[in-house]
Amino acid sequence: GLPTDESNDINQQYSDDVITIGLFELDAPQPTSILKQLVSNEGYPAKCKPKEIRSLQREQLEANKVYNACMEIQDTKGVNYDLSTVWRVVKDERIDLGAVSGKFVSRESPMFEGGNDLLKHDVEGVVSVRKGNDGGFGFTIYPGKSGTSMSTSSTELDQDNIVVGRVIGGMNVVNRLNELPVVQSPIGASSSNKRYAPSRACRYGSTELYCNEFKPLKKILIQKTGVVTE
């Protein structure tokens, strides 16, 4: 949601491009608890990653700067989704959102666990997070496609992700995200390495051929998040 003031109440005035997600708190209490913190003003209290050790002095100075900036706000500002991005769109298969940037990049990722294995990515709008702590802070929306059976991708999501909710408002926005033009692989080529979270190296240039595969050509931001009140 996109409130116009500092309130965390999404019932305030907002733009038309709003996605509302209903969380399955009884089926996935641990991951939904983390997600609720990530959409709050206070944020999720993640610790800073250890300082990186680089071989080049210039790179070490940058690593020191990033670490020091993180430590300055570690205990006063938690991670939230404000100004995070939609970092990958695989049409009809997955939309990956919540790639944090700036001061939050150097925070430790949460450990998502638990869930109900009976819940599947079998209808459009299913929301999930990757099991473990290698998926960053982000979450995935399964866009699905009307009139088709479950894809290989949805089966992989069932294996790798924890279903935490479903889109209950704004599927028109999800459908528009699903149609975004993205970076495509060369014809006939396929990526041999899966990426589970956005890579910092991809932001600053990388020799990896598929570094930006399926990245939207236009930067899409989550401007503001919050909790819907009754």
Side-chain angles (χ1 to χ4, degrees), residues 95-203:
I95 301 171
D96 293 311
L97 311 90
V100 299
S101 60
K103 57 185 177 292
F104 297 144
V105 171
S106 53
R107 300 290 188 99
E108 294 281 2
S109 301
M111 171 69 74
F112 290 115
E113 53 192 1
N116 186 338
D117 291 338
L118 296 178
L119 297 176
K120 307 294 184 182
H121 297 77
D122 51 3
V123 292
E124 63 179 17
V126 170
V127 179
S128 61
V129 294
R130 181 169 172 78
K131 298 175 183 176
N133 64 351
D134 62 352
F137 294 92
F139 60 98
T140 299
I141 297 178
Y142 175 62
K145 188 174 181 181
S146 300
T148 61
S149 58
M150 288 179 60
S151 65
T152 302
S153 176
S154 63
T155 302
E156 291 179 353
L157 285 173
D158 290 340
Q159 296 172 348
D160 298 338
N161 284 25
I162 302 169
V163 172
V164 295
R166 186 180 179 188
V167 173
I168 57 176
M171 271 306 298
N172 60 316
V173 182
V174 174
N175 292 334
R176 285 164 54 199
L177 292 175
N178 189 45
E179 298 292 336
L180 286 174
V182 299
V183 176
Q184 298 286 353
S185 299
I187 297 176
S190 61
S191 175
S192 59
N193 296 317
K194 295 181 181 180
R195 287 195 298 127
Y196 304 125
S199 168
R200 183 177 176 81
C202 285
R203 295 191 179 98

